[in-house]
Amino acid sequence: MKGTDFDQRVYAMVGQIPHGYLSTYGQVADRIGAYGCARQVGWALRRLSLPTLIPWQRVVNAQGRISMSLSREGTDWMQRDLLIAEGIPVDLEGRLPLKRFLWSPDERQISQMNQLLRAL
DNA sequence: CTAGTGACGTGCC
DNA sequence: GGGCACGCCACTA
């Protein structure tokens, strides 16, 4: 799988996450057939040019936290604001109730997902 | 080319 | 709960 292809798969996947729901880097990796490549999902999201229609803010780490980093140059705090605006409480450490908002796609969403991936 | 770093996850202590 | 090692691999120096 080449790099741009990987990015497009990530974006297709993330684009499926409904408003007010969350997913994790690892889940996104799994669902595009790249088990173990959570870190690369982070890089793909970093390559997005903001603003974008892709709901990148809905992807957090498996520990239920926003990945805070100076290297993100403020996009981490932007992520916090966007999630709060979607009704998800986030504390000042970036912690959030992941289990309550974790998204699991239904049958329809899975088939649409497969269709999007096939179209690449 | 090599080494270090990092929007990560799992396993183990 | 915290910390560390390792696997993953793009990117940078």
Side-chain angles (χ1 to χ4, degrees):
Chain A
M1 189 188 308
K2 59 181 169 38
T4 47
D5 190 12
F6 181 86
D7 284 11
Q8 293 311 306
R9 284 170 175 266
V10 170
Y11 301 153
M13 183 67 241
V14 174
Q16 294 287 103
I17 307 172
H19 183 280
Y21 286 83
L22 298 170
S23 191
T24 69
Y25 299 97
Q27 281 187 341
V28 172
D30 292 352
R31 290 175 186 152
I32 64 173
Y35 177 79
C37 297
R39 196 161 213 153
Q40 285 60 248
V41 171
W43 276 105
L45 294 182
R46 159 168 274 203
R47 284 180 209 110
L48 284 169
S49 49
L50 303 180
T52 174
L53 293 176
I54 295 168
W56 54 274
Q57 71 272 21
R58 296 173 192 156
V59 184
V60 299
N61 66 38
Q63 304 162 70
R65 306 187 63 172
I66 290 173
S67 295
M68 310 294 281
S69 167
L70 292 176
S71 67
R72 293 185 59 180
E73 299 175 344
T75 60
D76 43 4
W77 290 95
M78 187 185 310
Q79 181 173 14
R80 179 171 181 272
D81 291 339
L82 290 169
L83 290 180
I84 290 175
E86 294 193 8
I88 298 173
V90 190
D91 73 13
L92 289 173
E93 305 267 294
R95 282 187 286 258
L96 43 81
L98 177 58
K99 283 176 298 191
R100 266 200 281 143
F101 295 93
L102 192 59
W103 174 58
S104 34
D106 59 31
E107 280 305 318
R108 207 195 63 76
Q109 290 167 324
I110 290 174
S111 62
Q112 183 175 349
M113 192 55 228
N114 291 332
Q115 190 173 336
L116 285 175
L117 292 183
R118 236 177 294 118
L120 297 179

